[in-house]
Amino acid sequence: MKKILFLVLCLIASYSYAQNMTGAWKGDIQIQGNRLPIVFHLQQNGDSLSGTWDSPAQKAFKLSFSTLRIKGDSLIATIQNLQAEYSGKFVAVDSLSGTWKQGAVSFPLSMKRHDEEDAPEKLKDEKEIIIPVAKNISISGTLISRSTTEPLVIIIAGSGPTDRDGNNPLGVSSDSYRLLAQELYDNHISTYRYDKRGIAKSSAGNMTEAAMRFTDFSNDADSIVAYFRTQGYQKIFIAGHSEGSLLGMLVAEQMNLTGYISISGAGIPADQILEQQMTGKVPGVSDSTIRRVLSEIKDGKAVNDIPEVLKPIFRPSVQPYLTSWLKYDPRMEIQRISCPILIIQGTCDVQVGVQNATDLFNAAKHATIKIIPGMSHTLKDAGKDCVNQQQTYTDPSLPVSKELVSDIVTFVKQSAERNN
């Protein structure tokens, strides 16, 4: 489900020093209590300094600087296309204290020499798979599989810039999809989790935001299913999380799956969800204005008189995409699915309430519903009375819900057995 306001954060940094600065350095930017790690890779040759930088949580690697120079006891780094500058002062041979500034916003950023990358350990049966889905567009994802005889679960991520691991630059660093995939692997279930087109390592070709449509993402998923069939996988499931739940429904209608899994999926059209989120909560904007804007966009009309505070959501270039998305009612789509269905929802999900799962279950012709006590939107246990809600969004060391794993494993294996 889309959040009301998106904060787009583009972060960079670099540094140099009179000493040899060649190697990897790492620091964290704190954003409203959330940790966003940044890693720098420097090469120094005499007085010349070059390098690249990574933002692992955004799956952005080997990015370039516009300029990288030493000025007195400080490093100055810029990236022109982001209108950004980092200025850091060396406080020790292996320490740099500085500030990243973009526009009027500044963040403290301290760096320390870092000998090894913080990369999750790969499983022996894990590999990168790149799948062409349209002209100049390829999907990049991670396959974990022992054999094509195992059931394969294709995980579709939620909305916005959420990557294959379940993280995004808007404050989510939970690794939920990666952890779920590893748990399923331990239960002899293969998985493919991927970056949607235009996100992280997946390309969008020359497609602009104005040309993007909701069905582009479901068509990509159709192509992914078709690809794995050519590779010998016969028992294929879709597990769609949040917005991915609706995308998964569209795939399940077309691709004759062995089973479909909805996790934290909306049970009503997106315009109703957005209206619920914004009603009475947007300063200076009346509820009638919100309803009017949503209604006109749903009808395919171009809306130009958008209140300033709502432009990040309803800007003209994104309106065609919203029109293509708002027309779908999940309750109608789930009725068209003929394969077995599992609907999963957590009671500590602050983004998608339990009623959504109930709405889907009541609409489906045949489905199993599982309500998991304490599970948050990031598929982790938020504790008694949901006290650890925030931690589930920012702590990748927390495991995914054991009940979630058990429910999926049982459903996949039973459905695969019936399909023999």
Side-chain angles (χ1 to χ4, degrees):
M1 179 184 302
K2 294 188 179 292
K3 295 182 179 178
I4 299 177
L5 298 178
F6 290 105
L7 175 62
V8 178
L9 301 173
C10 299
L11 304 169
I12 77 124
S14 80
Y15 42 88
S16 179
Y17 195 56
Q19 306 277 339
N20 191 335
M21 299 304 297
T22 296
W25 297 64
K26 182 181 177 183
D28 293 335
I29 291 176
Q30 300 292 331
I31 305 172
Q32 297 182 338
N34 298 321
R35 181 177 63 88
L36 185 64
I38 301 293
V39 182
F40 307 91
H41 306 276
L42 299 180
Q43 299 84 41
Q44 186 170 350
N45 184 8
D47 295 333
S48 175
L49 185 68
S50 60
T52 60
W53 63 276
D54 303 336
S55 179
Q58 302 176 74
K59 291 296 183 292
F61 301 95
K62 296 184 178 180
L63 303 174
S64 346
F65 306 111
S66 297
T67 64
L68 185 60
R69 62 189 175 92
I70 292 293
K71 185 178 181 181
D73 62 354
S74 297
L75 169 93
I76 308 297
T78 64
I79 288 189
Q80 187 174 4
N81 64 339
L82 298 181
Q83 297 182 336
E85 179 179 284
Y86 176 78
S87 177
K89 180 179 180 179
F90 292 92
V91 294
V93 173
D94 293 338
S95 297
L96 176 67
S97 177
T99 301
W100 161 247
K101 183 177 180 181
Q102 183 173 355
V105 182
S106 297
F107 301 95
L109 179 59
S110 296
M111 310 294 296
K112 290 185 180 294
R113 191 179 289 276
H114 183 61
D115 293 331
E116 296 181 359
E117 300 295 337
D118 285 340
E121 182 179 355
K122 283 191 175 183
L123 300 172
K124 67 175 183 178
D125 295 313
E126 179 176 338
K127 58 183 176 180
E128 186 89 357
I129 299 292
I130 298 175
I131 304 172
V133 294
K135 185 178 180 180
N136 299 322
I137 298 176
S138 294
I139 297 300
S140 182
T142 301
L143 173 68
I144 308 179
S145 179
R146 293 178 181 85
S147 168
T148 58
T149 60
E150 290 183 345
L152 173 68
V153 176
I154 298 170
I155 299 172
I156 303 181
S159 62
T162 302
D163 66 22
R164 72 183 76 181
D165 290 338
N167 305 322
N168 68 51
L170 308 176
V172 181
S173 54
S174 64
D175 271 1
S176 296
Y177 305 153
R178 179 181 67 82
L179 295 171
L180 175 59
Q182 291 181 339
E183 291 286 350
L184 295 180
Y185 171 81
D186 290 342
N187 285 275
H188 293 269
I189 295 173
S190 299
T191 59
Y192 181 71
R193 63 189 197 277
Y194 65 94
D195 303 321
K196 291 185 293 187
R197 69 163 68 186
I199 304 299
K201 293 184 179 181
S202 291
S203 65
N206 297 322
M207 179 172 287
T208 63
E209 182 177 72
M212 193 75 75
R213 299 295 182 268
F214 188 76
T215 50
D216 291 329
F217 296 111
S218 62
N219 290 339
D220 291 348
D222 287 347
S223 297
I224 291 169
V225 172
Y227 168 82
F228 281 108
R229 285 204 171 120
T230 68
Q231 302 305 299
Y233 290 90
Q234 299 300 318
K235 301 170 184 177
I236 299 179
F237 296 75
I238 288 288
H241 176 241
S242 194
E243 183 188 70
S245 168
L246 177 56
L247 289 170
M249 290 180 200
L250 302 184
V251 178
E253 292 174 21
Q254 301 293 326
M255 298 303 293
N256 190 28
L257 302 174
T258 305
Y260 160 73
I261 304 167
S262 170
I263 308 174
S264 303
I268 55 177
D271 59 310
Q272 295 180 32
I273 294 169
L274 292 171
E275 183 178 343
Q276 290 175 3
Q277 287 184 323
M278 291 187 286
T279 297
K281 300 175 185 176
V282 183
V285 180
S286 68
D287 294 345
S288 61
T289 296
I290 292 171
R291 287 192 293 270
R292 175 186 63 80
V293 169
L294 284 167
S295 177
E296 291 182 0
I297 291 176
K298 187 172 185 176
D299 289 341
K301 300 176 182 177
V303 184
N304 296 316
D305 56 336
I306 302 293
E308 195 67 30
V309 70
L310 295 181
K311 285 184 178 178
I313 313 168
F314 301 124
R315 58 192 178 278
S317 61
V318 82
Q319 288 181 25
Y321 175 85
L322 292 174
T323 298
S324 71
W325 177 39
L326 300 184
K327 72 178 184 179
Y328 289 105
D329 185 334
R331 295 165 297 189
M332 300 297 295
E333 302 306 323
I334 203 168
Q335 291 180 25
R336 300 186 175 102
I337 299 175
S338 58
C339 66
I341 298 170
L342 173 63
I343 300 167
I344 299 176
Q345 181 63 51
T347 62
C348 285
D349 190 330
V350 295
Q351 294 179 243
V352 181
V354 171
Q355 184 60 46
N356 287 272
T358 302
D359 289 342
L360 291 177
F361 177 71
N362 290 337
K365 296 177 180 178
H366 46 84
T368 300
I369 187 170
K370 295 287 185 179
I371 306 299
I372 300 178
M375 190 177 80
S376 73
H377 192 70
T378 59
L379 316 183
K380 300 186 176 187
D381 188 351
K384 185 178 180 182
D385 299 324
C386 310
V387 295
N388 299 324
Q389 175 73 232
Q390 184 60 34
Q391 187 181 3
T392 67
Y393 280 78
T394 59
D395 188 349
S397 68
L398 289 178
V400 291
S401 164
K402 292 182 179 179
E403 191 171 341
L404 169 74
V405 174
S406 176
D407 288 340
I408 293 177
V409 169
T410 299
F411 173 77
V412 168
K413 292 193 172 181
Q414 287 180 350
S415 300
E417 183 65 27
R418 286 196 296 268
N419 199 49
N420 281 340

